[in-house]
Amino acid sequence: MKKNIAIILIFLPMLIFNTVLTAEQALAAGEFDVYGTIESFTWKEFDDSGGEFLEESGPIYGAGITAKGLIQPLTIKGRAELFSGSVDYDGQTQAGMSVKSDTEYLGGKVEADLGWLIVIDETFALEPFAGIGYRWWERNIKSTGTVIGYTENWWSSYVRLGLRSESEISTQSKLFAEAGIKIAIKNENEVDLTEIGLPLITVEPANATAFFAEIGLRGEPFVISVFYEGLRFKKSDMVIVSVGPAILGFTQPESEADIFGLNAGFAF
């Protein structure tokens, strides 16, 4: 966990301030926002027939920064976020016994996009963009009186393709929106089963495409927006593990998350 937080903190200033523009240039030629976020988070897992056998849901809280600079007609935008929270777990054991518990999440993401500004008129512009992202999170399923919990560490890298728009409604404020798709490059899930006598097991959920969207109002010194982000993972290949005389096979089932949230903060 410390390793992943260190990675996020290292990449945060690199992506936000030093990708193409310095922080001073970004402030002079673009935008810089600091915000808090609250999310309605839902995680689901499915069996091979498509039936849902696990659902987690609840609030996740976080904070982030974004910076956007302009070298006409190119734009560059960076985002970094950290988040955590505890959600309700409603699932079952491999034997089919119903289990209710809590799952704690801790993680972060960094993204950087390169866009092409198309000015439609004095008050409206479009911006097709492409970029990359990296998301890490720890999923800690808590033990109950009858079932031992375990921890997963997820990593996902992806490409972002989308379209932004901006519309001025006054000299001090504007509406903004973006939508697009995320195309996964590589996913890993390291499952820690050492508490039940098994080793660390790393599975690689297969790549899938997910959607994202955001719409908001930016008027210095405040910025507010609502957003949606999807996470999609296909079933992983089986990983074979030898434990004494036993041969065990592990897979990550088809999994998905839907995240609806609100960002609110300060614009500079």
Side-chain angles (χ1 to χ4, degrees):
M1 183 174 69
K2 293 180 179 179
K3 176 183 176 181
N4 289 286
I5 294 176
I7 291 173
I8 293 169
L9 294 178
I10 290 171
F11 275 94
L12 185 150
M14 292 173 62
L15 287 174
I16 298 300
F17 298 114
N18 297 317
T19 311
V20 172
L21 301 176
T22 65
E24 182 178 358
Q25 288 172 321
L27 291 172
E31 304 166 350
F32 181 76
D33 300 335
V34 179
Y35 57 90
T37 183
I38 180 171
E39 303 172 353
S40 174
F41 178 87
T42 302
W43 175 270
K44 297 179 179 180
E45 295 183 0
F46 304 88
D47 59 29
D48 291 342
S49 63
E52 179 186 320
F53 66 86
L54 182 153
E55 179 174 329
E56 298 171 347
S57 61
I60 299 288
Y61 305 94
I65 58 176
T66 66
K68 183 178 179 181
L70 173 65
I71 305 177
Q72 192 84 24
L74 295 178
T75 65
I76 185 163
K77 182 174 182 179
R79 179 191 300 266
E81 293 182 355
L82 294 173
F83 55 84
S84 67
S86 179
V87 301
D88 295 330
Y89 175 98
D90 186 358
Q92 57 185 317
T93 66
Q94 291 184 347
M97 183 179 71
S98 178
V99 177
K100 293 185 182 297
S101 184
D102 297 310
T103 301
E104 294 181 351
Y105 280 85
L106 173 66
K109 70 176 181 180
V110 287
E111 296 174 340
D113 301 326
L114 185 66
W116 188 276
L117 187 65
I118 303 172
V119 178
I120 305 301
D121 59 34
E122 293 182 352
T123 62
F124 184 71
L126 293 175
E127 182 190 335
F129 66 88
I132 58 174
Y134 172 85
R135 184 183 184 102
W136 162 79
W137 66 100
E138 181 184 81
R139 180 171 174 249
N140 184 1
I141 303 171
K142 310 305 289 185
S143 298
T144 69
T146 57
V147 177
I148 299 175
Y150 61 93
T151 299
E152 297 179 348
N153 274 281
W154 285 74
W155 299 267
S156 179
S157 57
Y158 49 90
V159 171
R160 286 164 41 94
L161 301 173
L163 179 68
R164 294 191 182 98
S165 67
E166 294 184 352
S167 179
E168 287 190 9
I169 57 178
S170 73
T171 57
Q172 296 294 323
S173 60
K174 65 180 180 182
L175 293 171
F176 62 90
E178 72 173 39
I181 61 173
K182 299 189 304 181
I183 304 171
I185 301 172
K186 184 177 178 61
N187 309 306
E188 289 188 0
N189 175 18
E190 183 185 76
V191 186
D192 185 354
L193 299 175
T194 54
E195 288 195 22
I196 59 174
L198 297 175
L200 290 173
I201 300 165
T202 299
V203 292
E204 298 186 4
N207 297 334
T209 299
F211 296 93
F212 63 89
E214 183 177 13
I215 184 169
L217 174 66
R218 191 175 194 274
E220 296 182 12
F222 302 110
V223 61
I224 187 169
S225 67
V226 292
F227 66 90
Y228 166 78
E229 181 178 5
L231 305 175
R232 297 292 186 270
F233 306 97
K234 296 180 181 178
K235 182 179 178 180
S236 71
D237 292 334
M238 182 173 291
V239 174
I240 304 300
V241 177
S242 299
V243 182
I247 305 296
L248 304 176
F250 294 88
T251 62
Q252 173 63 36
E254 179 184 349
S255 308
E256 66 179 41
D258 291 301
I259 306 167
F260 296 88
L262 171 69
N263 292 333
F266 298 96
F268 301 92

